[in-house]
Amino acid sequence: MSIQWFPGHMAKARRQIQEKLKLVDVVIELLDARLPMSSRNPVIDEVVQDKPRVIVLNKSDLADPGITRAWVDRFQSEDRQAVPVDALNGKGISQLARLTQEAVQDKMDRRKKKGIAGRAVRTMILGIPNVGKSSLINRMAGRKVARTGDRPAVTRHQQWVKIGKQLELLDTPGILWPKFEDKMVGLRLAASGAIKDEIIDLEEVALYLAAYLKFHYADAVKQRFKIDEIPDSPVELLELIGTKRGCLRSGGVIDYEKTAEILLREFRSGKIGAISLERPDDPFHYEDFAPETPEPPR
Ligand code: G4P
């Protein structure tokens, strides 16, 4: 469930996170592997400041593996540790636990030298709605301790969950707001399912997705929708998909809304393939396609 964020919500979320941050040694920043930049909250650096951080590229089962590797390398080149994770199936969880501990090993060693009794490393998960925070907490804990779905206003007693002997995880995540100001960021978030479908223009998002898929994943689209040749414009591609799937209204007119729903649903569930919506140094520029794109007839 996505939340409508207003300035008051943002300020409150920020305050709550700052309180929690005082309790932890290291932060796990959760991003969507398919769109690591767009699923990143713009003020996270300000909020977390210089607290050690490990980046998780979650939903890596849905992302293009080669592109995910490129993102991990990109983060590493910036001296940041990132690990691909599939929170549903538990892939990458042990590597995440190891990296999280390593991120504060020096600090823990120094404490030990000073004679301060050793204790487990404490961590918390931070991320925008729907990125998989609760799923990851439950998966790391090995049982259901966090509720899926976000309700930032609900406060309840938070607890530490033991992850092995060396790590403790806060059972309530820090929820950050997504950034919508940039149109492309909004389109990618909407395509990924991070924004409620009721508040987005499904057809606009589907047109963006059609253009992107044609550019980077033409073969996967041809195979999925049994298409021989991908047409030039995103509208024509959407029409072809609609025709193939029998999305026709009376008089043989394409039902654009239904077609958009199908394309988005099949993308989000990974049926078209393992697809990333963002890649480092992407040659795809939607502006090259969008200006000529006429409004679909209604
Ligand atoms: P949140 O706490 O950050 O809001 O996210 P949550 O764990 O509730 O997960 C949001 C949706 O993403 C859930 O789908 C969840 O199953 C799915 N999800 C989480 N991690 C992964 C992953 O690694 N891979 C895949 N494929 N899916 C993942 P849902 O319950 O079906 O919700 P929705 O799709 O109806 O929004």
Side-chain angles (χ1 to χ4, degrees), residues 58-59 61-62 86-88 129-135 148-150:
N58 192 40
K59 308 199 185 186
D61 53 312
L62 298 173
D86 167 0
L88 285 193
N130 215 40
V131 74
K133 298 178 297 301
S134 313
S135 306
T148 41
D150 292 299

Side-chain angles (χ1 to χ4, degrees), residues 36-54:
M37 291 298 119
S38 297
S39 57
R40 198 155 190 266
N41 171 278
V43 301
I44 183 145
D45 293 336
E46 264 172 62
V47 177
V48 175
Q49 294 192 355
D50 51 6
K51 184 100 40 189
R53 207 185 314 178
V54 175

